[in-house]
Amino acid sequence: MSWIRSNKWLMIMILLLVLSIGWAVYSVIVHTSDTSTNSGFSGMRQNGSFGSGGSRPDGSFTGRSSEFGRGGSSSRNDAGITQVPRGSDGASTSDGTDRNPRADSPEGRPGQGITGSPNIDTGRNGESGERPGMPQGGGSRFGAGEASGSGSTELLLYALLFFGAAAAAIPLMKRRKSEAVVRPAMIWMAIVIGLSIRIALAPQVAGHPFDLNLFRNWANAAAKGLSDFYSSSNSDYPPLYIYMLYLVGKLTSTAALSPYSTLLIKLPSMLADMVTAYLLYRIGRKYISAGIGLAAAVFYAFNPAVLINSTYWGQVDSFFTLLIICGIWFISQCKLSWAALFMAAAIMMKPQGIIFLPVLGFALLQSGSWRAWIRAMGTAAAVVIVTALPFAWGQEPLWLYKLYAGTVGEYPYASVNAFNFYSLIGANYKQASSTMLLFSYHAWGLIFIVLAVLFTCWMTLRNRNPLLAAAAALTLIALVFTFSTSMHERYLFPAAALAIVAYFQLRDQRLLWLTLGFSVTIFFNTYYIFYYSTSGGASYGAVLFLISLLNILLCGWLIKVLWNLSSSNKPAGLQAPASPALHTQVLEM
């Protein structure tokens, strides 16, 4: 009996491991063929968002206007190629491709018909009609919302229970009365359980219909050859993610794996979730204890804010966050060449990686070594060249720069469904050129970016401790998301993992509450857009107001926390890493 009491957590994890693996196997066998039929859209057509329309290999869509449900129309040219109006520029060329090669970005943009006016939602058979509480205009998500898949109620209930349990557990971390042994197998069991649950859920939820279809078509195009990928497709994603789609395209080109396309597209991000969780365990074990590290890994692996992004939506922010965490970790260890490698890889994954570059710049300034600058810049340049080279054949010399420049200028709106300051004041999907207090929204966004960089630079350089890197990165992404323009609902995603790393290295419990707070706002922002914003632009209501306000309050609290930690010569969390003896401890929850 004493053995059972001392190993109860191990026994519980073994039971969960068996159940989760069984669920994953059952789900793959039973559900995968259903969600993969007709390019992964069965089960999502009940709202008439896509109907019987198909897609071209370049990622653009064919079909009737009712299949898009946004008030546009399609026509056929003399060659018999279906022409579908795009976003704000609203035109297609005679070969069915966009004049703007980034018009079909999976990030989402406002949909407009051929008249140029904002489109509205349509009913089951394509007739125009408004959903209660939804805006008449705004960004087109092409069937997001109810068409995104099932499980909205179950996910919401799980999120409420999860966040409630996490809020109750945080105060216990200082009042624990007993400790249990962490066995090495427990972290691996937690990782396998988390991955198995994702594999079980992924085939049952077909994902964001527009994004998943684009990724599927890009995968097919990449599998035919990387050298002409950007010339033959309208992808706006940088090259690094295309390598993953290349592998997916190769796998799904086989008859045996073609029914599993939805699962395979989601799989890289789901694996990245688990790798990030394992890294958090290792960092927590280094600075506090194995028990705290395990608790953090479990928190991240089963965090609904993380689950909804990779497993439900099917987006790639998890892989991007993994690269950012690696880069920030190496900055905190003063290994700046390695940090430059991962930061460059993050930028080659998503342009949002540029937000975190100042943290590397602060570390290089602190190093005081011009050799460190040369090594870091050389490493970053090598990553860019090696990553982009297979795509460069036949391209003009500045093709990569134009790809990024076009992406940066693609969304000229104050907010693109991000629940932030601009959404709070009613400027979601309002043109960034509109004026607010003498300046345009775009100008205010640039001002806030400059202020955010200057503040984090001051906080970092005045303390000169590399362990502030995670807190600085967290502050940058939180401030940029909340006060800069053109932000999407998912851009705050790295904040949850960064806040955990900052807590490990600074040991300030306020960072745990910030971790929970940002997890809440990330989840509800993503959840609302994924399930309920069928017309694309989120309506101004209680959810938008509360989450936007909470993000602003969290930013203010984060500024105060970073100010306090950096103002001391030796902040409370900057002691030496925990001794190895503590690595066998775990919270008794």
Side-chain angles (χ1 to χ4, degrees):
M1 187 63 66
S2 61
W3 183 89
I4 295 177
R5 283 196 299 267
S6 60
N7 293 276
K8 61 181 180 181
W9 288 112
L10 180 62
M11 296 178 65
I12 291 173
M13 293 187 73
I14 292 174
L15 177 61
L16 292 175
L17 179 65
V18 174
L19 293 175
S20 62
I21 293 176
W23 185 23
V25 173
Y26 172 82
S27 180
V28 169
I29 294 174
V30 173
H31 296 285
T32 298
S33 60
D34 294 335
T35 57
S36 297
T37 302
N38 192 25
S39 298
F41 286 94
S42 66
M44 295 183 289
R45 295 170 54 187
Q46 64 270 27
N47 294 289
S49 299
F50 279 87
S52 59
S55 58
R56 292 189 292 270
D58 66 348
S60 54
F61 294 97
T62 63
R64 303 184 304 273
S65 61
S66 63
E67 293 160 359
F68 287 82
R70 298 295 177 266
S73 61
S74 62
S75 61
R76 288 187 177 272
N77 59 18
D78 294 337
I81 298 175
T82 303
Q83 295 178 293
V84 181
R86 310 294 180 201
S88 56
D89 48 3
S92 299
T93 60
S94 61
D95 62 352
T97 59
D98 291 330
R99 290 174 183 162
N100 176 5
R102 286 161 291 278
D104 284 335
S105 167
E107 302 291 352
R109 65 182 300 159
Q112 294 178 318
I114 56 177
T115 62
S117 59
N119 297 302
I120 58 177
D121 198 12
T122 58
R124 184 179 301 272
N125 298 313
E127 65 274 12
S128 111
E130 298 297 330
R131 286 193 55 182
M134 293 294 104
Q136 294 186 8
S140 174
R141 283 292 182 182
F142 294 99
E146 291 178 284
S148 298
S150 59
S152 61
T153 302
E154 294 85 349
L155 179 60
L156 179 60
L157 291 175
Y158 170 74
L160 294 175
L161 291 172
F162 180 91
F163 293 137
I170 289 176
L172 299 177
M173 300 189 75
K174 280 191 173 182
R175 302 201 304 266
R176 64 185 187 274
K177 297 180 179 180
S178 59
E179 295 170 343
V181 174
V182 173
R183 299 182 183 275
M186 295 178 73
I187 180 61
W188 295 111
M189 285 191 287
I191 295 298
V192 174
I193 293 170
L195 182 60
S196 297
I197 290 175
R198 282 165 167 78
I199 293 174
L201 289 171
Q204 300 183 48
V205 184
H208 192 289
F210 184 48
D211 289 5
L212 262 291
N213 199 52
L214 279 180
F215 292 156
R216 185 176 291 107
N217 290 318
W218 291 351
N220 294 335
K224 297 176 182 178
L226 297 178
S227 59
D228 61 345
F229 173 79
Y230 285 105
S231 59
S232 63
S233 74
N234 56 7
S235 173
D236 64 343
Y237 267 39
L240 186 59
Y241 181 59
I242 307 305
Y243 285 105
M244 284 178 277
L245 291 180
Y246 169 83
L247 294 176
V248 172
K250 287 295 186 182
L251 292 173
T252 55
S253 64
T254 64
L257 295 177
S258 60
Y260 300 88
S261 62
T262 298
L263 176 59
L264 290 173
I265 288 173
K266 294 180 179 181
L267 189 58
S269 293
M270 296 191 299
L271 290 172
D273 286 341
M274 298 299 97
V275 176
T276 302
Y278 180 73
L279 290 179
L280 293 176
Y281 163 74
R282 292 294 300 268
I283 298 172
R285 189 181 72 174
K286 176 179 174 65
Y287 286 99
I288 303 181
S289 73
I292 297 297
L294 179 61
V298 169
F299 174 86
Y300 188 82
F302 299 96
N303 192 332
V306 178
L307 279 170
I308 193 174
N309 189 289
S310 61
T311 308
Y312 282 73
W313 190 304
Q315 259 292 343
V316 301
D317 301 279
S318 297
F319 205 98
F320 172 74
T321 297
L322 172 60
L323 297 174
I324 293 297
I325 292 298
C326 290
I328 295 299
W329 165 253
F330 282 114
I331 290 175
S332 70
Q333 303 304 300
C334 299
K335 297 179 180 179
L336 302 185
S337 295
W338 282 101
L341 185 151
F342 283 101
M343 287 297 185
I347 295 174
M348 294 299 287
M349 178 82 181
K350 291 176 75 72
Q352 290 76 42
I354 297 173
I355 295 172
F356 301 95
L357 270 186
V359 183
L360 178 59
F362 304 155
L364 289 169
L365 286 174
Q366 289 178 352
S367 71
S369 170
W370 60 268
R371 290 186 178 88
W373 283 90
I374 293 177
R375 287 193 295 267
M377 294 174 65
T379 301
V383 170
V384 172
I385 292 172
V386 170
T387 305
L389 192 59
F391 299 88
W393 303 113
Q395 296 280 0
E396 57 182 290
L398 297 178
W399 71 274
L400 189 61
Y401 168 77
K402 291 182 178 180
L403 177 68
Y404 279 88
T407 301
V408 170
E410 187 175 358
Y411 309 105
Y413 307 99
S415 174
V416 189
N417 284 332
F419 291 176
N420 57 11
F421 169 74
Y422 299 100
S423 289
L424 183 69
I425 62 175
N428 188 37
Y429 269 116
K430 184 174 282 188
Q431 287 288 330
S433 57
S434 302
T435 302
M436 180 188 72
L437 299 178
L438 302 180
F439 300 110
S440 66
Y441 290 116
H442 178 69
W444 279 114
L446 294 177
I447 291 171
F448 283 127
I449 289 176
V450 172
L451 292 176
V453 172
L454 290 177
F455 174 75
T456 52
C457 179
W458 182 24
M459 296 299 100
T460 303
L461 295 182
R462 76 169 179 168
N463 188 281
R464 306 189 69 83
N465 194 306
L467 295 184
L468 282 170
L474 172 63
T475 304
L476 273 176
I477 187 61
L479 291 178
V480 170
F481 175 86
T482 306
F483 296 104
S484 182
T485 56
S486 304
M487 293 291 110
H488 293 262
E489 67 282 332
R490 295 171 290 99
Y491 284 6
L492 190 59
F493 184 84
L498 287 169
I500 295 173
V501 176
Y503 165 72
F504 287 154
Q505 296 182 328
L506 304 176
R507 302 191 207 175
D508 189 308
Q509 198 175 36
R510 291 174 295 180
L511 289 165
L512 287 178
W513 290 108
L514 286 167
T515 301
L516 178 59
F518 282 124
S519 295
V520 169
T521 62
I522 293 167
F523 171 78
F524 280 102
N525 197 165
T526 309
Y527 178 89
Y528 185 84
I529 300 304
F530 183 60
Y531 279 111
Y532 295 107
S533 187
T534 54
S535 61
S539 61
Y540 196 97
V543 175
L544 183 150
F545 175 82
L546 291 174
I547 299 303
S548 299
L549 180 60
L550 181 56
N551 273 325
I552 294 173
L553 294 176
L554 289 172
C555 282
W557 193 16
L558 177 58
I559 290 172
K560 182 178 185 299
V561 170
L562 184 60
W563 179 280
N564 293 341
L565 291 173
S566 64
S567 62
S568 171
N569 290 330
K570 189 176 183 181
L574 302 186
Q575 299 96 348
S579 63
L582 291 177
H583 291 178
T584 60
Q585 296 175 351
V586 69
L587 291 178
E588 184 72 30
M589 301 294 290

